[in-house]
């Protein structure tokens, strides 16, 4: 599409987030590899180029770089983190390892420039780097700086080429959207040409083209991802879709009944299977989180391939999202964080072909698509729940006794969040059962029982997150209920880690 944005991926965990932010602003975006041919760039006629971050150092011999002729095309360029350093390096600047690394929150001050239109001084940005630009190349100037980065924002004096050391694409950079908008519309002169309705219509046609007259089974969980994928695909192929809900014994309290009831109301053809004994047997004595995820992923596929034979299905529909792909290193150049059961946890050889219409989207985009498709708000805004379920919220070996303890504690936490009108104000909340015991006192007796961690985060897309600042009175109330009502727990803690450096889930 002429007039769109090409995003060059250098392996950043956030590359698709950049694409999403551009699309949010109404401009179509496409991710390309650094080895893209210069003639292809010319043919595509993009309105702008954005260089992503990445895990490399630009001065390393084998670090990824573009054809240098890209700087001669007259296309406006924005470099982010590694992309920022690459621009400085390619024009002759000096990039070296920083004496002080910057991770997380920093404060940016700047000189007047259209890039900072309508943005206040001393604004919060999100840093994640070990290298920095020490010496600017000729014809460049610094227009933004933080305590640790005197060249946090740079620009070419004569060309529309900008670089930012921080990640303006992440939620926690306060005015990142405004900076990106200023670049796209005031500097690059891009035009709005994309929205969620067009995405829906294009995906429906794409699904029809891929599936044809064949049949599809859907791995449906009741979460927003698989529900939106199912409704979208149902609009495309109708009765050729059969949705299979597998109770793997790792669900929350009363979840199976609630999920089946909700999905049936959407008009989908639902088949419910109870395979809890099978999953729990395979997870017996397994402590490693990667092994848990792979066992669960493989077992799901075995079940779905067996069921597919009954319906003569050739495709398996999944609600895979982009963060699943990123953390499972399913995106070129990204580092593996953990295997998601529906990506890195899948077996190498499968008889079913995968159908993943949401794999380009983040959670907030999926919710927007769900509303566009007419799904009820309570389903659209349901907190994320991982496919491996409570198996990755019990640290270590998964036992039936611990599952029951965790279910009861988690149910109390979620129930109270709703009572206190806090559920919709957090992005995700859950409990984690830890593999340690602590001494306590109940009545006049000594106890030696399990520790439970509560986790609640604020996020938009799952790629970055801050701990929810829940009222102390609320946390104290939940703690008392859990310890009084759930046998086996005598200590409750609250996780205040952000992402990064932690992930949202513990495993």
């Amino acid at each position: 599409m002429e007039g769109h944005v090409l995003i060059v991926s250098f392996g950043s965990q956030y590359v698709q987030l950049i694409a999403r932010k551009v699309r949010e602003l109404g401009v179509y975006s496409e991710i390309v590899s650094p080895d893209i041919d210069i003639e292809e760039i010319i043919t595509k006629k993009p309105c702008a180029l954005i260089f992503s971050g990445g895990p490399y150092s630009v001065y390393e011999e084998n670090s990824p770089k573009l054809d240098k002729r890209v700087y001669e095309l007259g296309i406006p360029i924005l470099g982010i983190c590694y992309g920022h350093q690459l621009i400085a390096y390619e024009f002759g600047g000096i990039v070296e390892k920083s004496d002080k690394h910057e991770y997380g929150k920093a404060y940016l001050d700047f000189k007047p420039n259209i890039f900072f239109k309508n943005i206040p001084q001393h604004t919060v940005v999100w840093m994640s780097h070990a290298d920095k630009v020490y010496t600017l190349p000729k014809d460049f100037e610094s227009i933004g700086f933080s305590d640790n980065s005197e060249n946090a924002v740079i620009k070419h004096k004569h060309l529309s080429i900008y670089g930012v050391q921080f990640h303006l694409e992440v939620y926690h950079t306060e005015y990142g959207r405004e900076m990106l908008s200023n670049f796209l519309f005031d500097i690059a002169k891009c035009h709005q040409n994309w929205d969620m309705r067009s995405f829906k219509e294009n995906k429906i046609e794409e699904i029809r083209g891929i599936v044809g007259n064949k049949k599809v089974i859907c791995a449906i969980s009741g979460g927003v991802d698989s529900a939106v994928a199912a409704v979208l695909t149902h609009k495309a192929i109708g009765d050729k879709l059969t949705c299979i809900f597998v109770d793997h014994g790792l669900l929350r309290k009363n979840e199976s009944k609630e999920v089946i009831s909700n999905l049936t109301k959407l008009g989908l053809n639902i088949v419910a299977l109870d395979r809890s004994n099978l999953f729990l047997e395979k997870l017996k004595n397994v402590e490693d989180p990667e092994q848990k995820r792979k066992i669960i992923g493989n077992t799901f596929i075995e079940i779905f391939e067996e069921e597919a034979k009954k319906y003569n299905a050739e495709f398996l529909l999944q609600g895979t999202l982009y963060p699943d792909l990123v953390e499972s290193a399913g995106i070129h150049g990204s580092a593996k964080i953990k295997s998601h059961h529906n990506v890195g946890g899948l077996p190498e050889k499968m008889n079913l072909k995968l159908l993943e219409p949401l794999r380009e989207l983040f959670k907030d985009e999926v919710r927007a698509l769900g509303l566009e498709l007419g799904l009820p708000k309570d389903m659209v805004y349901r907190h994320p729940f991982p496919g491996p379920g409570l198996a990755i919220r019990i640290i270590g070996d998964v036992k039936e006794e611990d599952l029951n303890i965790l279910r009861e504690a988690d149910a109390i936490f979620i129930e109270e969040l709703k009572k206190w009108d806090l559920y919709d104000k957090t992005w995700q909340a859950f409990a984690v059962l830890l593999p340690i015991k602590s001494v306590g006192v109940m009545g006049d007796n000594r106890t030696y029982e399990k520790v439970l961690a509560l986790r609640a985060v604020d996020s938009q897309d799952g790629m970055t997150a801050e701990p929810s600042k829940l009222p102390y009175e609320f946390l104290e109330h939940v703690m008392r209920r859990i310890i009084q009502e759930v046998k086996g727990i005598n200590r409750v803690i609250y996780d205040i880690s952000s992402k990064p450096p932690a992930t949202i889930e513990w495993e």
Side-chain angles (χ1 to χ4, degrees):
M1 180 188 293
E2 187 176 330
H4 68 296
V5 175
L6 287 184
I7 299 165
V8 183
S9 172
F10 290 101
S12 171
Q13 294 286 327
Y14 303 136
V15 64
Q16 187 74 7
L17 183 51
I18 303 171
R20 184 184 65 76
K21 291 295 185 182
V22 173
R23 295 199 300 260
E24 264 185 10
L25 290 166
V27 182
Y28 182 77
S29 59
E30 177 186 352
I31 297 173
V32 297
S33 171
D35 60 9
I36 184 172
D37 188 87
I38 194 74
E39 295 301 325
E40 185 177 352
I41 294 177
I42 295 170
T43 300
K44 288 178 178 291
K45 297 181 180 179
C47 65
L49 297 172
I50 297 179
F51 299 169
S52 85
Y56 311 96
S57 293
V58 296
Y59 46 78
E60 293 174 345
E61 184 177 350
N62 295 319
S63 61
K65 296 179 177 67
L66 278 104
D67 188 320
K68 286 188 178 182
R69 290 176 294 171
V70 73
Y71 302 106
E72 302 169 4
L73 298 178
I75 301 170
I77 298 173
L78 173 64
I80 299 173
C81 200
Y82 176 89
H84 157 84
Q85 296 164 8
L86 178 64
I87 289 170
Y89 184 81
E90 294 285 54
F91 276 88
I94 296 176
V95 179
E96 295 179 349
K97 191 166 292 295
S98 176
D99 293 334
K100 294 181 180 180
H101 301 177
E102 273 187 309
Y103 296 104
K105 185 183 293 185
Y107 291 93
L108 181 76
D109 292 290
F110 50 82
K111 299 176 182 177
N113 187 274
I114 195 169
F115 187 80
F116 300 115
K117 185 180 75 175
N118 298 328
I119 295 170
Q121 285 284 349
H122 208 59
T123 188
V124 172
V125 296
W126 200 257
M127 294 282 192
S128 182
H129 68 99
D131 297 334
K132 73 175 184 179
V133 178
Y134 274 91
T135 304
L136 287 177
K138 179 183 177 183
D139 292 328
F140 274 78
E141 61 179 323
S142 174
I143 59 171
F145 37 89
S146 68
D147 287 343
N148 190 47
S149 298
E150 60 273 23
N151 299 312
V153 184
I154 63 174
K155 71 173 290 290
H156 196 285
K157 293 178 181 177
H158 312 297
L159 304 174
S160 296
I161 299 177
Y162 286 72
V164 297
Q165 180 58 75
F166 52 88
H167 287 279
L168 57 71
E169 70 273 24
V170 303
Y171 174 67
H172 298 294
T173 292
E174 286 184 340
Y175 289 88
R177 178 186 174 93
E178 286 76 9
M179 293 179 202
L180 183 57
S181 177
N182 292 340
F183 172 75
L184 292 176
F185 302 119
D186 293 310
I187 296 168
K189 308 299 181 183
C190 296
H191 298 286
Q192 292 180 322
N193 56 14
W194 191 90
D195 59 25
M196 190 53 71
R197 179 173 294 180
S198 64
F199 176 86
K200 178 190 75 173
E201 293 170 353
N202 289 337
K203 274 296 172 184
I204 287 173
E205 289 303 315
E206 181 183 307
I207 292 167
R208 285 175 181 155
I210 292 172
V211 174
N213 293 320
K214 299 178 177 66
K215 292 185 178 180
V216 180
I217 58 170
C218 175
I220 199 156
S221 66
V224 63
D225 306 336
S226 60
V228 170
V231 172
L232 180 69
T233 303
H234 186 259
K235 285 187 178 293
I237 63 172
D239 293 341
K240 292 196 285 288
L241 172 68
T242 299
C243 298
I244 299 177
F245 172 77
V246 177
D247 183 347
H248 52 13
L250 305 166
L251 298 172
R252 291 169 291 195
K253 187 175 180 180
N254 299 325
E255 189 159 24
S256 181
K257 292 180 181 178
E258 293 173 6
V259 165
I260 294 169
S261 174
N262 290 336
L263 294 176
T264 303
K265 292 174 184 176
L266 295 176
L268 300 171
N269 179 24
I270 306 294
V271 175
L273 304 174
D274 185 348
R275 297 291 185 270
S276 52
N277 290 337
L278 174 64
F279 279 88
L280 293 180
E281 180 61 32
K282 290 195 173 189
L283 289 169
K284 191 173 182 179
N285 298 323
V286 177
E287 296 186 358
D288 180 71
E290 277 295 289
Q291 193 177 355
K292 285 187 200 176
R293 288 175 177 272
K294 290 182 181 297
I295 288 171
I296 291 168
N298 285 334
T299 306
F300 266 125
I301 292 302
E302 289 170 8
I303 293 169
F304 289 128
E305 289 193 333
E306 187 63 32
E307 291 298 310
K309 296 174 185 176
K310 299 178 184 178
Y311 303 98
N312 295 316
E314 294 188 23
F315 289 92
L316 172 63
L317 172 65
Q318 293 193 138
T320 306
L321 303 192
Y322 184 73
D324 301 338
L325 298 173
V326 172
E327 292 190 336
S328 302
I331 295 297
H332 174 72
S334 61
K336 181 175 181 178
I337 308 300
K338 57 189 176 186
S339 294
H340 288 259
H341 76 288
N342 54 349
V343 185
L346 296 179
E348 291 183 9
K349 292 184 179 180
M350 288 174 47
N351 295 321
L352 290 166
K353 300 173 186 175
L354 285 180
L355 184 63
E356 298 174 316
L358 310 182
R359 64 186 284 127
E360 303 161 322
L361 303 182
F362 284 79
K363 183 71 72 173
D364 55 327
E365 287 186 303
V366 172
R367 287 179 170 143
L369 179 58
L371 295 175
E372 181 70 31
L373 289 165
L375 271 70
K377 285 187 177 181
D378 60 344
M379 181 175 287
V380 169
Y381 289 103
R382 184 175 184 258
H383 283 191
F385 185 64
L390 300 182
I392 57 169
R393 293 179 179 174
I394 293 176
I395 310 303
D397 188 14
V398 180
K399 300 175 182 175
E400 186 67 44
E401 177 188 358
D402 288 342
L403 283 168
N404 291 330
I405 291 172
L406 182 55
R407 283 191 185 102
E408 294 300 324
D410 185 80
I412 290 171
F413 187 30
I414 300 302
E415 178 187 328
E416 291 297 336
L417 280 167
K418 292 178 178 177
K419 282 183 179 178
W420 286 59
D421 194 28
L422 293 169
Y423 182 84
D424 291 332
K425 295 175 183 176
T426 61
W427 192 77
Q428 187 176 6
F430 55 92
V432 181
L433 195 62
L434 305 186
I436 57 174
K437 290 184 176 183
S438 71
V439 174
V441 177
M442 292 184 180
D444 293 325
N445 297 318
R446 175 188 184 274
T447 62
Y448 189 57
E449 295 181 332
K450 294 183 179 293
V451 179
L452 184 85
L454 301 179
R455 177 81 157 141
V457 297
D458 299 331
S459 182
Q460 270 197 324
D461 43 55
M463 296 304 292
T464 62
E466 288 275 29
S468 301
K469 293 178 174 62
L470 299 177
Y472 179 80
E473 294 80 6
F474 167 79
L475 291 171
E476 184 179 34
H477 173 70
V478 171
M479 174 273 295
R480 292 191 186 283
R481 272 203 65 189
I482 289 174
I483 290 177
Q484 289 171 6
E485 298 177 31
V486 183
K487 186 177 180 181
I489 296 172
N490 70 355
R491 190 178 299 269
V492 176
I493 62 175
Y494 186 57
D495 180 357
I496 60 168
S497 309
S498 65
K499 177 185 179 180
T503 53
I504 295 176
E505 296 285 349
W506 279 47
E507 288 193 340

